[in-house]
Amino acid sequence: MLKGKHIILGICGGIAAYKSATLLRLLVKAGAEVQVVITPAGKEFITPVTLSALSGKPVVSEFFSANTGEWHSHVDLGLWADAMVIAPATASSIAKMAHGVADNMLITTYLSAKAPVFVAPAMDLDMMAHPSTVANLELLRSYGCHIIEPAEGELASHLVGKGRMEEPEKIFDVLDDFFTPKDLAGRRVLITAGPTRERIDPVRYISNYSSGKMGYAIALEAARRGADVTLVSGPVSIGIDHPRVRVVSVESAREMLDASMAAWPESDVAVMCAAVADYAPASAADSKIKREHQDVPVLHLVKNPDIAATLGQCKRPGQILVGFALETDHEIDNAAEKIRRKGLDAIVLNSLRDAGAGFGVDTNKVTIIAADGTSTPYPLKPKAAVAADIIDYITTKN
Ligand code: CTP
């Protein structure tokens, strides 16, 4: 979402300035054009050479270039920007911003900026808690600035408390989220993800290789676009951190069915991404099956409930149900048959024959097939980009 966006990165004189290089790198990697404006004190903590190398632009700090006498127009910069982010923002710069003390290039640029301004404070815990800082931040909030609250942790002073500048990745996410269209605002999305585990005894289970990456990527994308997401997840080793995602952790297909059915009546969309085990042991042993006590045990399996099909049977008009199909052969025919059998509106097909698609990897290559048989193929992409394609498909086709 930041591709082509003009971002002013303001850097003040604090130890957290070293993290600004990472933030700058993330912004540039995402395709943003970044102009660094640094205070004189900021240059004591990180060099303009580092910042200009990373941004590909000379760093602006003074009103005039010492060599050429060229005037750096804070007004032009303020108009150029799509957003301004000040990270780290020190107590003194926050105070100057709050009271219009325009004694350096960064503050004049801030006062001239027409674009939204994001402020990531960084200071010692007592400075952060001081009533003047609290009041100044409140003033900035009242002017419409977005304050990216500092985290708690060990500070440069070795004291522990609130004042650590938020991590560059988090600041990046705030900006990215700001520019992401909220076309799913007010919608509720249910997603199943990961494998299920079917218990044999207290130490053994039947499962599969699903990593949950695809489902988690869809959950994050739906949340970024404004949806309230319920993510019903089997056991995975990945996490998700978004205020609009509620994770319901389950283990077996039965538990996944119950959690999904609880969320489905209130949902507008469901994307069934989980690799549900097709079979479960008819009964799980209460204690560990011991090797020496018996011959080779025979596992009696029973069919698991089909979660997607169960949701399909009680689908209300207007609800959208999307499934996944991981196939190895007769892909299109098998996928079309699953649409019918499970009452889906569309199915996302990935073939294990495509390199880079399927379990565990960070990429996927999908074709989306609609209930009317139309199919939309997509090239191999990172799973986050595939997730965006799937959400685009759902929002544009419905
Ligand atoms: N699915 C489900 N519950 C199951 C099995 C599958 O909800 N018990 C969902 C999956 O999450 C996916 C879709 O149904 O969205 C297709 O899953 P898949 O495993 O490909 O289909 P199966 O019905 O299990 O058919 P098969 O394994 O024979 O291909």
Short mmCIF file of all heavy atoms in Angstrom, two decimals, residues 192 253 272-278 304-309 322-327 338 341-342 344 347, ligand 1:
data_model
loop_
_atom_site.label_atom_id
_atom_site.label_comp_id
_atom_site.label_asym_id
_atom_site.label_seq_id
_atom_site.Cartn_x
_atom_site.Cartn_y
_atom_site.Cartn_z
N THR A 192 -10.84 -20.68 8.68
CA THR A 192 -10.23 -21.84 9.34
C THR A 192 -8.82 -22.00 8.78
O THR A 192 -8.59 -21.71 7.61
CB THR A 192 -11.03 -23.14 9.12
OG1 THR A 192 -11.02 -23.48 7.73
CG2 THR A 192 -12.46 -23.02 9.62
N ALA A 253 -10.83 -31.92 14.45
CA ALA A 253 -11.83 -31.48 13.47
C ALA A 253 -13.16 -31.17 14.16
O ALA A 253 -13.86 -30.23 13.80
CB ALA A 253 -12.01 -32.56 12.41
N MET A 272 -12.53 -21.33 4.11
CA MET A 272 -12.16 -22.61 4.74
C MET A 272 -10.78 -23.03 4.24
O MET A 272 -10.65 -23.63 3.18
CB MET A 272 -13.19 -23.68 4.37
CG MET A 272 -14.62 -23.33 4.68
SD MET A 272 -15.02 -23.67 6.41
CE MET A 272 -14.77 -22.10 7.12
N CYS A 273 -9.79 -22.64 5.01
CA CYS A 273 -8.42 -22.84 4.56
C CYS A 273 -7.75 -24.01 5.28
O CYS A 273 -6.66 -24.45 4.91
CB CYS A 273 -7.66 -21.55 4.85
SG CYS A 273 -6.27 -21.33 3.80
N ALA A 274 -8.41 -24.52 6.32
CA ALA A 274 -7.78 -25.56 7.14
C ALA A 274 -7.61 -26.86 6.36
O ALA A 274 -8.44 -27.18 5.50
CB ALA A 274 -8.61 -25.82 8.39
N ALA A 275 -6.55 -27.57 6.68
CA ALA A 275 -6.36 -28.92 6.16
C ALA A 275 -6.91 -29.87 7.22
O ALA A 275 -6.19 -30.29 8.13
CB ALA A 275 -4.89 -29.18 5.89
N VAL A 276 -8.21 -30.11 7.12
CA VAL A 276 -8.89 -30.90 8.16
C VAL A 276 -8.56 -32.38 7.93
O VAL A 276 -8.68 -32.87 6.80
CB VAL A 276 -10.42 -30.68 8.07
CG1 VAL A 276 -11.13 -31.42 9.19
CG2 VAL A 276 -10.76 -29.19 8.09
N ALA A 277 -8.17 -33.06 8.99
CA ALA A 277 -7.91 -34.51 8.85
C ALA A 277 -9.21 -35.18 8.45
O ALA A 277 -10.27 -34.92 9.03
CB ALA A 277 -7.39 -35.07 10.16
N ASP A 278 -9.15 -36.02 7.44
CA ASP A 278 -10.38 -36.66 6.96
C ASP A 278 -10.88 -37.72 7.93
O ASP A 278 -12.07 -37.98 8.00
CB ASP A 278 -10.13 -37.29 5.59
CG ASP A 278 -10.00 -36.23 4.51
OD1 ASP A 278 -10.67 -35.19 4.63
OD2 ASP A 278 -9.21 -36.43 3.56
N ASN A 304 -14.27 -37.85 9.73
CA ASN A 304 -14.50 -36.59 10.44
C ASN A 304 -15.64 -35.83 9.78
O ASN A 304 -15.93 -36.04 8.59
CB ASN A 304 -13.23 -35.74 10.37
CG ASN A 304 -12.38 -35.88 11.62
OD1 ASN A 304 -12.90 -36.19 12.68
ND2 ASN A 304 -11.09 -35.66 11.48
N PRO A 305 -16.27 -34.94 10.51
CA PRO A 305 -17.31 -34.12 9.87
C PRO A 305 -16.68 -33.22 8.81
O PRO A 305 -15.53 -32.81 8.94
CB PRO A 305 -17.86 -33.28 11.03
CG PRO A 305 -16.79 -33.29 12.07
CD PRO A 305 -16.06 -34.59 11.91
N ASP A 306 -17.43 -32.93 7.77
CA ASP A 306 -16.96 -31.99 6.75
C ASP A 306 -17.42 -30.59 7.17
O ASP A 306 -18.62 -30.26 7.11
CB ASP A 306 -17.52 -32.37 5.38
CG ASP A 306 -16.87 -31.56 4.26
OD1 ASP A 306 -16.67 -30.33 4.47
OD2 ASP A 306 -16.57 -32.13 3.22
N ILE A 307 -16.48 -29.79 7.63
CA ILE A 307 -16.83 -28.48 8.21
C ILE A 307 -17.41 -27.55 7.14
O ILE A 307 -18.45 -26.93 7.33
CB ILE A 307 -15.59 -27.84 8.88
CG1 ILE A 307 -15.06 -28.79 9.96
CG2 ILE A 307 -15.92 -26.47 9.47
CD1 ILE A 307 -13.68 -28.45 10.48
N ALA A 308 -16.72 -27.49 5.99
CA ALA A 308 -17.19 -26.61 4.91
C ALA A 308 -18.59 -27.00 4.49
O ALA A 308 -19.47 -26.14 4.33
CB ALA A 308 -16.22 -26.67 3.74
N ALA A 309 -18.82 -28.31 4.31
CA ALA A 309 -20.14 -28.78 3.86
C ALA A 309 -21.21 -28.47 4.90
O ALA A 309 -22.34 -28.11 4.56
CB ALA A 309 -20.09 -30.27 3.56
N VAL A 322 -16.19 -19.78 0.88
CA VAL A 322 -15.09 -20.07 -0.05
C VAL A 322 -14.27 -21.23 0.53
O VAL A 322 -13.92 -21.21 1.71
CB VAL A 322 -14.19 -18.83 -0.24
CG1 VAL A 322 -13.00 -19.15 -1.14
CG2 VAL A 322 -15.00 -17.68 -0.83
N GLY A 323 -13.97 -22.20 -0.29
CA GLY A 323 -13.17 -23.34 0.16
C GLY A 323 -11.81 -23.35 -0.51
O GLY A 323 -11.52 -22.52 -1.38
N PHE A 324 -11.00 -24.27 -0.09
CA PHE A 324 -9.69 -24.50 -0.71
C PHE A 324 -9.66 -25.93 -1.22
O PHE A 324 -10.32 -26.80 -0.67
CB PHE A 324 -8.56 -24.32 0.32
CG PHE A 324 -7.94 -22.96 0.28
CD1 PHE A 324 -8.62 -21.87 0.78
CD2 PHE A 324 -6.68 -22.78 -0.28
CE1 PHE A 324 -8.05 -20.61 0.74
CE2 PHE A 324 -6.11 -21.52 -0.32
CZ PHE A 324 -6.79 -20.44 0.18
N ALA A 325 -8.90 -26.17 -2.24
CA ALA A 325 -8.71 -27.55 -2.71
C ALA A 325 -7.25 -27.72 -3.07
O ALA A 325 -6.72 -26.98 -3.90
CB ALA A 325 -9.59 -27.83 -3.90
N LEU A 326 -6.62 -28.64 -2.38
CA LEU A 326 -5.22 -28.97 -2.72
C LEU A 326 -5.29 -30.31 -3.43
O LEU A 326 -5.66 -31.32 -2.84
CB LEU A 326 -4.40 -29.06 -1.44
CG LEU A 326 -2.93 -29.46 -1.62
CD1 LEU A 326 -2.19 -28.43 -2.47
CD2 LEU A 326 -2.23 -29.60 -0.28
N GLU A 327 -4.98 -30.28 -4.71
CA GLU A 327 -5.16 -31.49 -5.52
C GLU A 327 -3.82 -31.92 -6.12
O GLU A 327 -2.89 -31.12 -6.24
CB GLU A 327 -6.16 -31.23 -6.66
CG GLU A 327 -7.53 -30.72 -6.19
CD GLU A 327 -8.37 -31.77 -5.47
OE1 GLU A 327 -8.04 -32.96 -5.57
OE2 GLU A 327 -9.32 -31.39 -4.76
N LYS A 338 -16.12 -30.39 -5.62
CA LYS A 338 -16.14 -29.96 -4.21
C LYS A 338 -17.04 -28.75 -4.02
O LYS A 338 -17.68 -28.60 -2.98
CB LYS A 338 -14.71 -29.64 -3.74
CG LYS A 338 -13.96 -30.89 -3.31
CD LYS A 338 -12.55 -30.63 -2.89
CE LYS A 338 -11.84 -31.98 -2.78
NZ LYS A 338 -10.40 -31.87 -2.65
N ARG A 341 -20.48 -30.29 -3.87
CA ARG A 341 -20.68 -31.14 -2.68
C ARG A 341 -20.75 -30.34 -1.39
O ARG A 341 -21.49 -30.68 -0.47
CB ARG A 341 -19.53 -32.16 -2.61
CG ARG A 341 -19.60 -33.11 -1.44
CD ARG A 341 -18.86 -34.41 -1.70
NE ARG A 341 -17.53 -34.25 -2.26
CZ ARG A 341 -16.40 -34.17 -1.54
NH1 ARG A 341 -16.46 -34.18 -0.23
NH2 ARG A 341 -15.23 -34.06 -2.13
N LYS A 342 -20.02 -29.22 -1.35
CA LYS A 342 -19.93 -28.48 -0.08
C LYS A 342 -20.75 -27.19 -0.08
O LYS A 342 -20.76 -26.45 0.89
CB LYS A 342 -18.46 -28.15 0.21
CG LYS A 342 -17.61 -29.42 0.40
CD LYS A 342 -16.14 -29.11 0.60
CE LYS A 342 -15.30 -30.37 0.52
NZ LYS A 342 -14.73 -30.80 1.80
N LEU A 344 -20.29 -24.44 -1.89
CA LEU A 344 -19.39 -23.28 -1.87
C LEU A 344 -19.79 -22.28 -2.95
O LEU A 344 -20.44 -22.62 -3.94
CB LEU A 344 -17.94 -23.73 -2.12
CG LEU A 344 -17.38 -24.82 -1.21
CD1 LEU A 344 -16.00 -25.25 -1.69
CD2 LEU A 344 -17.29 -24.30 0.22
N ILE A 347 -13.98 -21.80 -5.03
CA ILE A 347 -12.94 -22.63 -4.41
C ILE A 347 -11.57 -22.15 -4.90
O ILE A 347 -11.43 -21.75 -6.07
CB ILE A 347 -13.17 -24.12 -4.70
CG1 ILE A 347 -12.42 -25.00 -3.69
CG2 ILE A 347 -12.80 -24.51 -6.13
CD1 ILE A 347 -13.02 -26.39 -3.53
N1 CTP B 1 -12.83 -29.27 4.56
C1 CTP B 1 -13.55 -29.15 5.71
N2 CTP B 1 -13.77 -30.24 6.50
C2 CTP B 1 -13.27 -31.44 6.16
C3 CTP B 1 -12.50 -31.57 4.98
C4 CTP B 1 -12.31 -30.47 4.21
O1 CTP B 1 -13.99 -28.05 6.02
N3 CTP B 1 -13.47 -32.46 6.94
C5 CTP B 1 -12.65 -28.10 3.70
C6 CTP B 1 -11.23 -27.63 3.57
O2 CTP B 1 -10.92 -26.67 4.55
C7 CTP B 1 -11.24 -27.06 2.17
C8 CTP B 1 -12.22 -27.90 1.43
O3 CTP B 1 -13.07 -28.47 2.42
O4 CTP B 1 -11.72 -25.75 2.13
C9 CTP B 1 -11.62 -29.00 0.59
O5 CTP B 1 -10.72 -29.77 1.37
P1 CTP B 1 -10.04 -31.06 0.79
O6 CTP B 1 -9.23 -31.72 1.84
O7 CTP B 1 -9.37 -30.68 -0.50
O8 CTP B 1 -11.32 -31.91 0.42
P2 CTP B 1 -11.93 -33.23 0.97
O9 CTP B 1 -13.41 -32.99 1.07
O10 CTP B 1 -11.25 -33.68 2.20
O11 CTP B 1 -11.67 -34.20 -0.23
P3 CTP B 1 -10.36 -35.08 -0.61
O12 CTP B 1 -9.49 -35.12 0.62
O13 CTP B 1 -10.94 -36.37 -0.97
O14 CTP B 1 -9.73 -34.37 -1.76
#
